[in-house]
Amino acid sequence: MRIDGRCHCGAIAYEAEIDPASAKICHCTDCQTLSGSAFRSVVFTREGTFTLRQGRLTTYVKTAESGRKREQSFCPVCGTPIYSTAPGDGPKVHALRLGTVRQRDEITPRLQTWHRSAQGWVGKIGDIAAVERE
Ligand SMILES: [Zn+2]
Ligand SMILES: [Zn+2]
């Protein structure tokens, strides 16, 4: 599936080819902190298909508990997280932050990883009072 996306301020724009079936939610504590939310939702690009159409990303390299390093790239103007990927050169798979994908309404996560650190209320989100607007 061909998709495109952008950050909140519009400084960053990108295109990629994704497999919609690869969309997932991650409940790990790094994703909670780095997304500023309860969990992160991502979709993976097909290798080598990510193209930055506009802007320049800022990158933070995080080291996981396992010692594995991941590049976290975000817009330097508005801070929107765009993707994570393996450090170094060569064709890469990018874990796009689903909230930046324009076609996100057509993509549903099919897996939840690191569920052991999920926030307790996440499974009961339907029970939380909801209004249509702010
Ligand atoms: Zn931005
Ligand atoms: Zn995670």
Side-chain angles (χ1 to χ4, degrees), residues 7-11 75 77-78:
C7 67
H8 189 267
C9 77
C75 172
V77 180
C78 69

Side-chain angles (χ1 to χ4, degrees), residues 36-94:
S37 189
F39 55 83
R40 171 137 65 194
S41 35
V42 302
V43 67
F44 293 92
T45 63
R46 295 193 194 282
E47 190 176 84
T49 64
F50 179 88
T51 307
L52 191 61
R53 285 285 172 227
Q54 186 173 295
R56 186 168 287 178
L57 292 159
T58 294
T59 294
Y60 165 70
V61 179
K62 85 156 197 189
T63 305
E65 220 175 80
S66 63
R68 194 170 71 123
K69 291 189 188 309
R70 290 284 289 174
E71 280 183 18
Q72 315 279 320
S73 290
F74 55 94
C75 172
V77 180
C78 69
T80 301
I82 304 294
Y83 64 72
S84 70
T85 193
D89 297 325
K92 293 182 180 187
V93 171
H94 292 73

Side-chain angles (χ1 to χ4, degrees), residues 24-32 34 40 42 62 97 113-114:
K24 68 159 195 165
I25 286 170
C26 185
H27 296 282
C28 85
T29 53
D30 283 350
C31 281
Q32 290 178 17
L34 287 162
R40 171 137 65 194
V42 302
K62 85 156 197 189
R97 291 16 189 153
T113 53
W114 291 96

